[in-house]
Amino acid sequence: MAQSAPAAAVSNIYNTPELRDKIMFTLICLVIYRVGAHITAPGVDLVALTDFFANKGKGGLLGLYDLFVGGGLSHATVFALGIMPYISASIFMQIAGVVIPTVEKMQKDEEGRKRVTQWTRYITVALAAVQGWGFALFTASLENAVANPGFGFKLQMVLVLTTGAMFVMWLGEQITERGLGNGASLIIFFSIVERFWPGIFGTFGFVKTQAVGPVSLVVLGIVMVAVVAGTIAVTMAARRVMIQIPQRTMARGRQREAAKNFIPLRVNAAGVMPIIFASSVIVVPGAVAQFSGNETARIISEYFQPGTWLYYLFSAILIIFFTYFYTSIIFNPVDISENLKKQGGFIPGVKPGGKTAEYIDHVVSRITFPGAIFLTFIALLPVFIADMINVPFRFGGTSLLIVVGVALDTMTQVNQHLLLRKYDGFMKKGRVRFRGRQAGGTY
């Protein structure tokens, strides 16, 4: 009896030692992360802390941050800061690469990239220490949360949380280098997924007590399914730019036939990273303000709580900005133009060289805008509807988009490994379909 496509793909993974080892290494790293995310930092009363998050901190900036670290913040674990300091440091260095020519030059060669990576680690340590100090001040300000809220406790908390953040950063780097997928994204992915099932069961509990109507739950479910479908559609969608490669004489008198091909320019080339970057930026300042205990900072942070119009406005602006920003970092039209020129290829009606780069950049700018708008829409719509119908289940919007996006990226990498071994992947014929057609091309 013939195997189904998914079963055959799983069998092919088992028969590919390199891919199997990468998957096992990734899973081991993620298990280590989740084990550490359940080890409580010393000196904190969990009852007082969890009571605060269950009442005042639920659904706010701290609640959103707590979602990204898998509940580590509300339980004061050694991994309470998660991967967020590293992501914030990465954002800082990528922005520095755009505005500082020296950093931009360093990012283009191997030795320079190593120095940039080292600087990113140093910034991560500094951010983790600041956030750890803020968390120590925050826990010390809660009634009965800390037995001895002195300088010794604060120093101890900074040391524990900074060490935990550095270890999580190391795990993420190991997954990226030796495992499968992007380590930072997968760590956030598993942190969110772990809280998915308690959220579902809690929501059904509210339905049983009639705190939430079944109609509201069905509406939220339909919206979430639509978000998943929309995420897949915008991730797979691409604009195909036709190119022509003329006939050419190769070595030993061989002839390369003239061919027509295309460059697939993805509508959402940045993937899920704009959502992660935007969430990191909008969460961390408010969380630090709340940690500090300053009354003015607390009042200001309340204007940016999830559910307020300023939160939706700034989230939309940040998502659109980071979509363009991250696309400009990972996509270089000049390199594509030069590679195309070296092969003797050209875009019909466009001069090779600078004009080709300008044309590609113009096309990318045009298709990125609707992609960014749609990305913003499906990121914020479920949260907006959940607030309207008063559903306590927060697994929607940003978190759902991250989960779907990371899952698609990881599946694509698995598929590529299988295709290199001439196996069929999870996707039909081993190819991704763009707008209902098969994608090909050399770019």
Side-chain angles (χ1 to χ4, degrees), residues 136-175:
L137 294 176
F138 164 69
T139 51
S141 66
L142 295 179
E143 187 177 358
N144 300 324
V146 181
N148 300 305
F151 179 77
F153 164 77
K154 297 180 179 66
L155 188 62
Q156 172 186 275
M157 183 63 71
V158 170
L159 180 62
V160 170
L161 295 188
T162 302
T163 303
M166 295 306 297
F167 185 76
V168 173
M169 179 194 71
W170 180 81
L171 280 179
E173 291 181 344
Q174 293 302 307
I175 292 174

Side-chain angles (χ1 to χ4, degrees), residues 2-204:
Q3 287 182 315
S4 62
V10 172
S11 177
N12 291 336
I13 290 175
Y14 180 79
N15 294 327
T16 309
E18 180 184 356
L19 179 57
R20 185 179 66 240
D21 293 343
K22 284 180 175 291
I23 293 176
M24 289 302 300
F25 179 82
T26 302
L27 291 176
I28 290 172
C29 289
L30 291 172
V31 168
I32 293 173
Y33 167 69
R34 292 317 304 159
V35 170
H38 288 82
I39 300 176
T40 305
V44 180
D45 186 351
L46 284 183
V47 176
L49 189 61
T50 53
D51 283 347
F52 172 83
F53 275 88
N55 298 308
K56 298 180 181 180
K58 188 175 182 181
L61 293 172
L62 289 179
L64 188 58
Y65 194 105
D66 192 45
L67 176 67
F68 289 153
V69 296
L73 203 66
S74 60
H75 292 82
T77 67
V78 293
F79 292 165
L81 301 180
I83 197 69
M84 302 307 286
Y86 178 68
I87 291 178
S88 300
S90 299
I91 295 173
F92 177 82
M93 289 307 301
Q94 288 180 344
I95 293 176
V98 175
V99 300
I100 302 176
T102 304
V103 178
E104 182 182 10
K105 185 178 179 180
M106 291 171 58
Q107 291 175 340
K108 293 181 178 180
D109 63 85
E110 186 65 26
E111 289 300 321
R113 283 194 292 269
K114 289 181 180 179
R115 291 184 62 187
V116 170
T117 301
Q118 197 66 24
W119 291 353
T120 304
R121 293 168 180 166
Y122 292 148
I123 296 174
T124 301
V125 174
L127 289 176
V130 171
Q131 293 180 22
W133 181 261
F135 185 70
L137 294 176
F138 164 69
T139 51
S141 66
L142 295 179
E143 187 177 358
N144 300 324
V146 181
N148 300 305
F151 179 77
F153 164 77
K154 297 180 179 66
L155 188 62
Q156 172 186 275
M157 183 63 71
V158 170
L159 180 62
V160 170
L161 295 188
T162 302
T163 303
M166 295 306 297
F167 185 76
V168 173
M169 179 194 71
W170 180 81
L171 280 179
E173 291 181 344
Q174 293 302 307
I175 292 174
T176 302
E177 294 175 6
R178 302 172 56 187
L180 188 72
N182 182 282
S185 298
L186 283 172
I187 286 174
I188 296 178
F189 172 89
F190 272 82
S191 298
I192 295 174
V193 168
E194 186 186 26
R195 306 196 71 186
F196 174 60
W197 298 111
I200 290 180
F201 295 142
T203 301
F204 280 112

Side-chain angles (χ1 to χ4, degrees), residues 58 199-213 390-393:
K58 188 175 182 181
I200 290 180
F201 295 142
T203 301
F204 280 112
F206 278 97
V207 173
K208 289 182 179 179
T209 58
Q210 297 183 351
V212 176
N390 197 27
V391 174
F393 183 34

Side-chain angles (χ1 to χ4, degrees), residues 61 64 91 95 270 272-285 304 310-327 372-373 375-376 379-380 398:
L61 293 172
L64 188 58
I91 295 173
I95 293 176
V272 73
M273 295 309 295
I275 306 297
I276 297 177
F277 285 175
S279 301
S280 177
V281 170
I282 202 170
V283 168
V284 174
F304 296 91
L310 278 176
Y311 171 80
Y312 293 122
L313 177 62
F314 275 88
S315 294
I317 293 174
L318 287 171
I319 291 173
I320 294 173
F321 168 75
F322 279 117
T323 300
Y324 273 97
F325 174 73
Y326 198 74
T327 300
I373 295 297
L375 199 65
T376 304
L380 299 180
T398 300

Side-chain angles (χ1 to χ4, degrees), residues 309-376:
W309 69 269
L310 278 176
Y311 171 80
Y312 293 122
L313 177 62
F314 275 88
S315 294
I317 293 174
L318 287 171
I319 291 173
I320 294 173
F321 168 75
F322 279 117
T323 300
Y324 273 97
F325 174 73
Y326 198 74
T327 300
S328 67
I329 291 176
I330 65 174
F331 188 86
N332 192 334
V334 176
D335 289 344
I336 294 179
S337 174
E338 291 178 353
N339 292 333
L340 191 61
K341 189 176 181 179
K342 289 177 182 178
Q343 295 187 15
F346 62 92
I347 299 174
V350 181
K351 292 182 179 180
K355 291 295 183 180
T356 298
E358 291 178 5
Y359 176 79
I360 294 175
D361 183 64
H362 177 67
V363 172
V364 170
S365 298
R366 290 182 61 188
I367 64 176
T368 299
F369 181 72
I373 295 297
F374 190 58
L375 199 65
T376 304

Side-chain angles (χ1 to χ4, degrees), residues 361-432:
D361 183 64
H362 177 67
V363 172
V364 170
S365 298
R366 290 182 61 188
I367 64 176
T368 299
F369 181 72
I373 295 297
F374 190 58
L375 199 65
T376 304
F377 179 75
I378 59 180
L380 299 180
L381 178 63
V383 179
F384 180 72
I385 292 181
D387 291 335
M388 286 184 60
I389 61 180
N390 197 27
V391 174
F393 183 34
R394 303 295 299 181
F395 189 77
T398 300
S399 55
L400 186 59
L401 192 59
I402 290 174
V403 168
V404 175
V406 172
L408 283 174
D409 290 341
T410 306
M411 288 288 293
T412 300
Q413 289 198 25
V414 172
N415 206 59
Q416 289 173 351
H417 279 282
L418 292 176
L419 293 179
L420 287 175
R421 295 292 186 274
K422 298 183 179 179
Y423 286 124
D424 286 336
F426 287 94
M427 302 177 185
K428 188 176 180 181
K429 296 184 180 180
R431 296 190 177 188
V432 179

